Amino acid sequence: QEIKQKIEKYNAKVTNCLLMKLNDDGTYTGFIKVHLKLRRPVTVPAGIRPQSIYDALKEVNLADMTDKRTSFYLPLDAIKQLHISSTTTVSEVIQGLLKKFMVVDNPQKFALFKEMRKDGQVLLQKLPLTEYPLYLRLLAGPDTDVLSFVLKENETGEVEWDAFSIPELQNFLMILDKEEKDKIQQVQRKYEKFKQRLQQTL
């Protein structure tokens, strides 16, 4: 009865069609939006077409059709909408997002955060894998300014590196090497401009 009242209160505030629905068994379904804020490239199957509705309905895993891999950057701050249940955990949300984008990286590389705005400040908190995102959405209401979900790299040091394959680890090294070179170039350009200004002044 308490959940029913919360859902009715939630749906009364919804300004689009993304309502929550209570099931006979006491569970409920609804929608969450996840902002993808990944700053590093992800690994996907090479030469595979995007997943079609037919593939999704037939649960065809296109990633299994080739062993070739490539890396690319997902659009920064892209938003993906998911229809989930009250029993869907953070871990399942992460796995579902990776499957939708055909990302074959280990899910342990990623973490789901809740983003809250309070007194002009943005607060980010990492969610445990056993948390239920739809329940958090229900408590916060439909306003994404109050609460939103963000998928980011898992930077907390909890990654178990032994779980990754040799090609994945080599890919990490290549990415870190590229980031290091980019950073060096940025610093060099900064001081080159400073040097030119000094010479002009002299």
Side-chain angles (χ1 to χ4, degrees):
Q1 190 65 27
E2 182 183 351
I3 291 294
K4 182 180 179 181
Q5 291 174 356
K6 289 182 183 296
I7 290 175
E8 289 174 350
K9 186 178 179 181
Y10 179 95
N11 287 342
K13 297 178 182 178
V14 172
T15 55
N16 47 36
C17 299
L18 307 181
L19 301 172
M20 288 201 189
K21 180 183 177 182
L22 183 63
N23 300 318
D24 294 335
D25 60 0
T27 62
Y28 50 96
T29 57
F31 297 85
I32 63 168
K33 290 181 179 180
V34 180
H35 295 251
L36 306 177
K37 295 186 178 180
L38 302 177
R39 300 192 175 276
R40 293 179 181 169
V42 294
T43 306
V44 297
I48 293 292
R49 58 182 168 77
Q51 189 180 42
S52 67
I53 294 175
Y54 173 82
D55 295 331
L57 291 174
K58 295 293 183 180
E59 296 186 350
V60 175
N61 190 351
L62 297 174
D64 292 339
M65 295 183 178
T66 178
D67 291 330
K68 296 180 180 179
R69 299 288 183 256
T70 187
S71 296
F72 80 106
Y73 287 89
L74 284 172
L76 191 61
D77 207 20
I79 299 175
K80 190 67 180 176
Q81 189 167 276
L82 296 175
H83 184 251
I84 62 173
S85 163
S86 56
T87 61
T88 305
T89 63
V90 165
S91 176
E92 291 169 332
V93 167
I94 294 173
Q95 292 176 39
L97 284 168
L98 298 183
K99 186 176 180 181
K100 280 182 179 292
F101 287 97
M102 291 192 294
V103 175
V104 295
D105 292 309
N106 193 311
Q108 289 182 331
K109 287 172 58 180
F110 307 94
L112 192 68
F113 292 77
K114 65 177 180 179
E115 184 177 285
M116 298 164 289
R117 289 172 174 80
K118 188 176 181 182
D119 301 327
Q121 291 184 321
V122 178
L123 306 174
L124 267 179
Q125 181 182 346
K126 181 183 172 182
L127 295 172
L129 294 176
T130 54
E131 182 66 87
Y132 301 107
L134 193 62
Y135 182 65
L136 297 178
R137 178 82 278 159
L138 177 63
L139 294 180
D143 189 353
T144 53
D145 286 337
V146 177
L147 171 74
S148 58
F149 296 104
V150 179
L151 183 73
K152 300 181 69 175
E153 284 87 3
N154 189 359
E155 305 280 10
T156 60
E158 298 173 7
V159 179
E160 296 179 13
W161 296 107
D162 292 340
F164 295 96
S165 66
I166 296 298
E168 283 180 317
L169 293 172
Q170 290 174 337
N171 194 36
F172 293 155
L173 288 175
M174 289 174 58
I175 293 167
L176 290 172
D177 186 53
K178 182 181 182 301
E179 289 181 350
E180 182 183 32
K181 288 178 180 177
D182 289 344
K183 195 68 177 177
I184 290 172
Q185 289 177 356
Q186 288 177 15
V187 173
Q188 287 175 335
R189 284 195 295 266
K190 174 184 174 183
Y191 285 99
E192 185 62 34
K193 288 181 181 178
F194 186 59
K195 180 181 176 181
Q196 289 174 1
R197 289 173 186 170
L198 277 175
Q199 289 174 338
Q200 289 172 359
T201 304
L202 288 170

